């Protein structure tokens, strides 16, 4: 059954009209439609709000007394995606961990290039820390470009002396904006949805005049020492595979407790398909276990 599931998702992604590297005015609603096409579970409660003036969506699971907060950063190549589009994934994490989640609506490129997104994420996180009960843990999570922002948030936290989260979960993170990793070539045919061209297009929108090798945009070139435990998950069928493996190697070299979790035969951010993909369901269970292990007091 799992082979059939993987093949179905692969074909659906290859046939979908969405193009990560396409015109943002066209692709933004397409991506949001894809991500919100399935209704949320009946127990999910969403509340629009803000943290430090940054728009967010608070996500609660009915009848669950939250034991902390998952601060979730959506993907979309820095130019697409939304807090609402990530509610499904963030709520799934919240349910499995017994925590509350908050999804952040940071400013998007090309209208707002670097450092706008990182500034928004940092501002929202700082406000969450100020509001949170010291006894309740915070975990940062991010998917794709949101994984990049999650790591850069931790680096900014360290530089500014902010309170670190208990742990961080990174799903198919973009970590090297030079877009030169070998997996762009070796996984080009296996990846059903993402191409090197698309990544280069979105990176150009995001960076403007910033050097792609700057550690503040490409965390594989940063000093990661002092960061909290990391769980990095990716699929073997994605051009961003090396971004995940190289970040894990850099974190390990910098004495960070890091777990690299690669699932064979699945695409970029495969966890979003957990309802119809056994591997996605299993990966989220592993992520929930990692979060619980690092937030138990």
């Amino acid at each position: 059954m799992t082979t059939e599931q993987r093949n179905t998702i692969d074909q659906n992604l290859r046939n979908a009209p969405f193009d990560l590297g396409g015109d943002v005015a066209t692709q933004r609603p397409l991506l949001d439609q894809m991500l919100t096409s399935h209704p949320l579970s009946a127990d999910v409660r969403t509340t629009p709000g803000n943290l430090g003036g940054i728009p967010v969506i608070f996500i609660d699971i009915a009848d669950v007394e939250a034991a902390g907060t998952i601060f979730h950063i959506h993907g979309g190549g820095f130019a697409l995606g939304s807090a609402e589009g990530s509610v499904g994934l963030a709520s799934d994490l919240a349910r499995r961990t017994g925590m509350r989640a908050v999804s952040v609506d940071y400013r998007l490129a090309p209208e707002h290039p670097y450092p706008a997104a990182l500034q928004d994420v940092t501002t929202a996180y700082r406000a969450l820390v100020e509001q949170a009960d010291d006894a309740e843990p915070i975990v940062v999570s991010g998917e794709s470009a949101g994984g990049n922002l999650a790591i850069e948030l931790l680096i900014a936290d360290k530089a500014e002396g902010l309170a670190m989260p208990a742990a961080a979960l990174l799903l198919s993170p973009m970590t090297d904006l030079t877009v030169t990793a070998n997996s762009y070539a070796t996984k080009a045919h296996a990846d059903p949805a993402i191409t090197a061209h698309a990544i280069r297009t979105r990176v150009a929108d995001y960076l403007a005049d910033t050097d792609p090798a700057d550690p503040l945009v490409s965390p594989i070139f940063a000093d990661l020492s002092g960061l909290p435990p990391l769980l990095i998950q990716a699929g073997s069928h994605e051009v961003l595979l090396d971004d995940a493996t190289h970040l894990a190697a850099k974190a390990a070299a910098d004495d960070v407790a890091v777990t690299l979790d690669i699932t064979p035969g699945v695409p970029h951010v495969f966890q979003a398909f957990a309802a119809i993909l056994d591997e996605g369901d299993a990966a989220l269970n592993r992520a929930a276990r990692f979060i619980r292990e690092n937030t138990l007091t």
Side-chain angles (χ1 to χ4, degrees), residues 190-231:
D191 193 318
I194 312 296
T195 66
H197 173 75
I199 296 294
R200 291 190 182 101
T201 299
R202 297 284 77 101
V203 164
D205 287 343
Y206 177 60
L207 291 181
D209 296 325
T210 303
D211 180 356
D214 188 324
L216 295 177
V217 296
S218 288
I220 66 160
F221 303 118
D223 175 8
L224 304 180
S225 61
L227 299 193
L230 308 177
L231 173 59

Side-chain angles (χ1 to χ4, degrees), residues 44-103:
V44 176
R45 307 286 184 264
T46 60
T47 308
N50 77 85
L51 286 170
I54 307 303
V56 301
I57 298 176
F58 295 100
I59 305 161
D60 294 283
I61 307 301
D63 301 322
V64 172
E65 186 174 348
T69 301
I70 298 172
F71 183 86
H72 187 74
I73 309 171
H74 72 78
F78 306 104
L80 313 171
S82 65
E84 182 180 6
S86 282
V87 166
L89 180 57
S91 65
D92 209 344
L93 283 169
R95 181 183 299 100
R96 293 169 194 246
T97 57
M99 300 176 78
R100 184 185 212 195
V102 56
S103 186

Side-chain angles (χ1 to χ4, degrees), residues 272-294:
F273 302 102
I276 57 173
L277 179 67
D278 292 345
E279 288 89 345
D281 180 67
L284 287 181
N285 284 337
R286 294 194 297 274
R289 184 166 58 249
F290 165 82
I291 290 171
R292 290 193 300 269
E293 288 173 351
N294 284 282

